[in-house]
Amino acid sequence: MDLNYTAEDLAFRDTVRAFLDANLPKDLQQKVLNHKRLSKEDFVRWHKIVAKQGWVGTGWPVQYGGTGWTPVQRHIWEEECAAAGTPSILPFGVNMVAPVIMAFGNEAQKSYYLPRILNCDDWWCQGYSEPGSGSDLASLKTRAERQGDHYIVNGQKTWTTLAQHADMIFCLVRTDPAVRKQEGISFLLIDMKTPGITVRPIIMLDEEHEVNEVFFDNVKVPVENLIGEENKGWTYAKYLLGHERTNIAAVGRAKRELLFLKRLAGKQMKSGKPLLDDPMFSSKVASLEIEIMALEMTVLRVLSQESAKRGPGPEASMLKVKGTEVQQMLTELMVEAVGPYAMPFDPAYLEGEQEHAVTEDDDAAPLAPYYFNFRKTSIYGGSNEIQKNIISQMILGL
Ligand SMILES: Cc1cc2nc3c(=O)[nH]c(=O)nc-3n(C[C@H](O)[C@H](O)[C@H](O)COP(=O)(O)OP(=O)(O)OC[C@H]3O[C@@H](n4cnc5c(N)ncnc54)[C@H](O)[C@@H]3O)c2cc1C
């Protein structure tokens, strides 16, 4: 195991830095660094800039327009993007449905969808979870019945991230209710403009419209939108969940946010001294910094295995649990640092509609919503309790 970057890796990092310096729009960067909300246009704009450079498909094979980068190069790209404060390339198309289409789709599906995903011509969302079927996903009930050359879909998905913007949804649907639950599921691509689809917002703790309920009422889906074979969807769904774990630890962002936290605590005063010099507060920051360093080492160990072609395996669950704990701890300490200044809620400022927040402290204003928003991280992508079950069974052998 070698945890140091090679000379080629360092040269690659310089190339990435030069690209980001020259191409990351300042207004987008400021929104990200100041914890403001990004619009659909913001995400699409950054995606298209990266697509023009040919760097969207960082985990894709070259034959489909991917970069063919090594796991370490991908890590460097993600680290540098996080450090610079780029918007994320949303995972639903690039990292979730695309690998499934490559592995199990037919030639027509590959040649139609993959270039559109690279170029962000379609906004994708993920239709897995349902009321009552989250951790126990295989119990899902949304029904698809074959009628001639169409499926008729009825049911409900929930927690569907950013479905309000979506052109397409990839859905797990039940095509055979009579067999064992994992064996009657299929994987369908559905155009969100199809009649019978209703998207209803779920407003989160921070009052952001980030997730939705999606209802299907006799929605007609052409059979050519089926991926692979009917009733084999569970296999494809699990394959996709493996890819969902890319960059799950988000160490790059944690390192950037740690610097932000230190700057924030450096300018808050307590008993005439900067809060960062307060022994109680600084010991919390130090413990968090140690956690982040340990997490980074773990990520590099996993990457070293991936480079040796042993695959990420159940270690991804450790990264998910530790990564999300660190992210939540960061937001907690940010709110603790500014105390009551985080309290005024100013949605217009968060949406970027005015220069200054009601508190006139640009750093403090978004921190309470940021804290509330990040409660989600230990739930989505497979809850942390479920990840701990995986760790205990697959890694500790309990
Ligand atoms: C912000 C956000 C965005 C999301 N985006 C999407 C999306 O775009 N598409 C999508 O399909 N889904 C999405 N989800 C859904 C997410 O995948 C589920 O919320 C998650 O899988 C948990 O399912 P659940 O909410 O039904 O909780 P449940 O499965 O009902 O779990 C409730 C609680 O019980 C615990 N629990 C359940 N089973 C066990 C067990 N066996 N052992 C120990 N503890 C257990 C859980 O950890 C949790 O604490 C999103 C969720 C959130 C919060």
Side-chain angles (χ1 to χ4, degrees):
M1 184 176 69
D2 183 0
L3 300 182
N4 294 314
Y5 289 147
T6 62
E8 292 81 46
D9 292 335
L10 293 173
F12 174 78
R13 191 173 68 181
D14 289 343
T15 311
V16 167
R17 283 185 180 167
F19 167 76
L20 293 173
D21 269 354
N23 291 284
L24 173 58
K26 291 283 169 281
D27 59 321
L28 291 186
Q29 184 182 40
Q30 283 314 308
K31 273 189 166 183
V32 173
L33 295 179
N34 293 338
H35 307 105
K36 290 190 169 187
R37 291 176 179 164
L38 296 175
S39 64
K40 175 177 184 175
E41 291 67 36
D42 293 333
F43 283 111
V44 172
R45 190 168 142 216
W46 177 240
H47 188 126
K48 285 191 180 287
I49 291 170
V50 181
K52 202 166 157 218
Q53 177 75 4
W55 287 358
V56 168
T58 59
W60 292 27
V62 177
Q63 71 179 111
Y64 296 122
T67 57
W69 287 346
T70 63
V72 173
Q73 287 175 317
R74 291 176 69 189
H75 175 71
I76 290 173
W77 164 247
E78 281 154 6
E79 284 263 306
E80 293 303 319
C81 285
T86 69
S88 20
I89 301 285
L90 290 175
F92 307 106
V94 178
N95 295 333
M96 293 189 183
V97 76
V100 173
I101 293 174
M102 285 176 213
F104 306 106
N106 57 36
E107 287 312 312
Q109 290 165 337
K110 287 181 200 173
S111 57
Y112 179 74
Y113 290 113
L114 295 179
R116 296 179 66 83
I117 290 172
L118 274 184
N119 200 39
C120 202
D121 292 333
D122 299 315
W123 181 293
W124 284 85
C125 63
Q126 179 187 26
Y128 272 27
S129 305
E130 297 182 6
S133 304
S135 304
D136 181 19
L137 185 59
S139 67
L140 61 94
K141 294 185 186 64
T142 294
R143 187 80 170 90
E145 287 175 274
R146 178 91 184 246
Q147 281 184 16
D149 52 7
H150 283 83
Y151 288 100
I152 306 298
V153 179
N154 281 287
Q156 184 198 340
K157 296 291 170 184
T158 193
W159 305 120
T160 323
T161 299
L162 300 175
Q164 73 269 30
H165 303 319
D167 304 297
M168 295 292 298
I169 182 167
F170 55 90
C171 267
L172 293 180
V173 292
R174 187 154 301 283
T175 32
D176 188 347
V179 293
R180 203 170 73 92
K181 59 186 180 181
Q182 288 83 356
E183 286 162 11
I185 293 172
S186 298
F187 195 107
L188 277 186
L189 313 180
I190 305 179
D191 184 335
M192 290 291 282
K193 287 185 289 301
T194 321
I197 298 183
T198 309
V199 178
R200 211 159 67 189
I202 302 174
I203 302 302
M204 304 237 295
L205 277 174
D206 61 346
E207 285 213 357
E208 186 165 7
H209 177 191
E210 185 177 321
V211 284
N212 300 273
E213 297 176 292
V214 181
F215 297 88
F216 298 86
D217 182 13
N218 288 318
V219 174
K220 254 178 112 176
V221 182
V223 287
E224 60 257 29
N225 287 20
L226 175 75
I227 291 286
E229 289 176 53
E230 198 175 271
N231 297 326
K232 291 275 163 56
W234 189 244
T235 306
Y236 315 148
K238 283 192 300 185
Y239 181 83
L240 180 148
L241 288 176
H243 285 76
E244 192 176 335
R245 303 271 147 78
T246 330
N247 192 25
I248 200 125
V251 177
R253 187 173 59 202
K255 285 178 9 190
R256 184 186 80 220
E257 296 294 26
L258 182 70
L259 291 177
F260 175 87
L261 173 66
K262 286 182 176 174
R263 183 164 63 80
L264 196 66
K267 64 178 187 172
Q268 302 300 316
M269 300 304 281
K270 185 181 173 197
S271 311
K273 283 194 200 150
L275 179 63
L276 196 58
D277 295 342
D278 175 70
M280 294 291 283
F281 193 82
S282 69
S283 73
K284 290 183 199 172
V285 175
S287 319
L288 179 56
E289 186 157 7
I290 291 166
E291 289 284 338
I292 293 173
M293 285 165 71
L295 180 62
E296 184 171 26
M297 284 302 123
T298 312
V299 169
L300 291 171
R301 269 174 28 215
V302 172
L303 279 175
S304 166
Q305 275 183 9
E306 262 193 89
S307 301
K309 301 269 181 269
R310 288 204 296 277
E315 292 82 2
S317 297
M318 293 189 322
L319 300 182
K320 160 81 195 334
V321 173
K322 291 308 287 182
T324 53
E325 283 176 1
V326 157
Q327 288 165 43
Q328 292 184 342
M329 226 184 293
L330 275 162
T331 61
E332 282 162 31
L333 287 182
M334 286 175 194
V335 170
E336 192 178 324
V338 296
Y341 294 112
M343 288 304 120
F345 179 59
D346 187 356
Y349 175 73
L350 290 175
E351 306 288 347
E353 285 172 20
Q354 58 193 59
E355 277 298 303
H356 292 285
V358 282
T359 59
E360 296 213 353
D361 182 340
D362 285 356
D363 282 337
L367 295 183
Y370 188 43
Y371 162 84
F372 285 122
N373 186 280
F374 266 60
R375 311 321 297 164
K376 70 188 176 188
T377 59
S378 45
I379 303 171
Y380 67 19
S383 76
N384 282 16
E385 290 78 16
I386 295 294
Q387 304 306 326
K388 286 178 184 171
N389 286 349
I390 296 173
I391 293 168
S392 66
Q393 286 160 18
M394 312 274 291
I395 301 180
L396 303 176
L398 298 174

